[in-house]
């Protein structure tokens, strides 16, 4: 069985690969490469997989899940400029793909265990664009 909790945060970013020129970055990322940055209202959906505990009826303590998401993702990222304030995005381009992978890494160790595992991180950057990340296959 799977259960999903949703959370939202707002953050700004610049899509810029430091090893490329501004011109190359503009070609790759378009207006998203503008050095002044721009913001998104990100929507995060965290899905856990497991069997409901026979006593509690829950896959995972949902209050605990909310606290983990709050402490690991929302507090450090909400109302931040990702490139300047949230490592590793001083070195890693904060595309929606890379932000989802970073969120996965932050959540996985805190969730896996006790019969539940992190199954998917879905991150919406806009209404019509999201990624699903289920971990590094290697
Ligand atoms: Zn953007």
């Amino acid at each position: 069985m799977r259960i999903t909790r949703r959370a939202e945060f707002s953050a700004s970013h610049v899509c810029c690969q430091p090893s490329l020129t501004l011109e190359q970055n503009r070609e790759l990322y378009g207006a998203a490469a503008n050095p002044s940055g721009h913001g998104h209202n990100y929507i995060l959906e965290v899905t856990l997989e497991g069997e409901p505990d026979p006593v509690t009826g829950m896959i995972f303590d949902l209050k605990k899940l909310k606290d983990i998401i709050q402490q690991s993702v929302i507090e450090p990222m909400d109302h931040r400029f990702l490139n300047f304030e949230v490592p590793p995005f001083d070195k890693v381009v904060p595309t929606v793909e890379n932000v989802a992978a970073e969120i996965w890494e932050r959540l996985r160790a805190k969730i896996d265990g006790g019969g539940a595992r992190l199954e998917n991180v879905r991150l919406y950057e806009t209404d019509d664009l999201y990624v699903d990340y289920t971990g590094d296959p290697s």
Side-chain angles (χ1 to χ4, degrees):
M1 196 177 279
R2 292 174 186 168
I3 191 161
T4 299
R5 188 176 270 289
R6 175 183 276 229
E8 298 183 22
F9 63 97
S10 301
S12 49
H13 70 167
V14 179
C15 287
C16 171
Q17 170 51 253
S19 64
L20 301 177
T21 65
L22 183 58
E23 202 171 272
Q24 288 171 316
N25 275 302
R26 285 212 165 112
E27 199 161 303
L28 258 182
Y29 301 113
N34 184 326
S36 299
H38 61 276
H40 294 288
N41 296 318
Y42 290 94
I43 296 171
L44 170 65
E45 292 176 354
V46 176
T47 300
L48 308 192
E49 187 175 48
E51 291 306 317
D53 181 275
V55 177
T56 67
M58 296 193 293
I59 294 173
F60 194 85
D61 182 328
L62 293 175
K63 171 153 190 340
K64 191 175 162 195
L65 177 58
K66 190 175 186 178
D67 289 345
I68 291 169
I69 294 170
Q70 185 69 24
Q71 287 162 17
S72 305
V73 179
I74 307 304
E75 282 171 16
M77 295 190 186
D78 191 33
H79 288 79
R80 300 286 176 179
F81 199 137
L82 298 176
N83 305 65
F84 300 113
E85 297 182 89
V86 185
F89 301 118
D90 52 336
K91 298 184 180 73
V92 175
V93 188
T95 57
V96 66
E97 295 93 325
N98 285 340
V99 177
E102 172 62 19
I103 290 171
W104 170 276
E105 289 305 324
R106 289 175 181 227
L107 295 177
R108 186 189 50 171
K110 293 176 176 152
I111 287 170
D112 283 358
R117 70 172 196 93
L118 182 57
E119 197 269 334
N120 191 54
V121 164
R122 174 171 289 184
L123 185 65
Y124 285 83
E125 191 173 73
T126 58
D127 288 344
D128 57 0
L129 180 72
Y130 68 84
V131 296
D132 284 315
Y133 188 64
T134 56
D136 186 345
S138 65

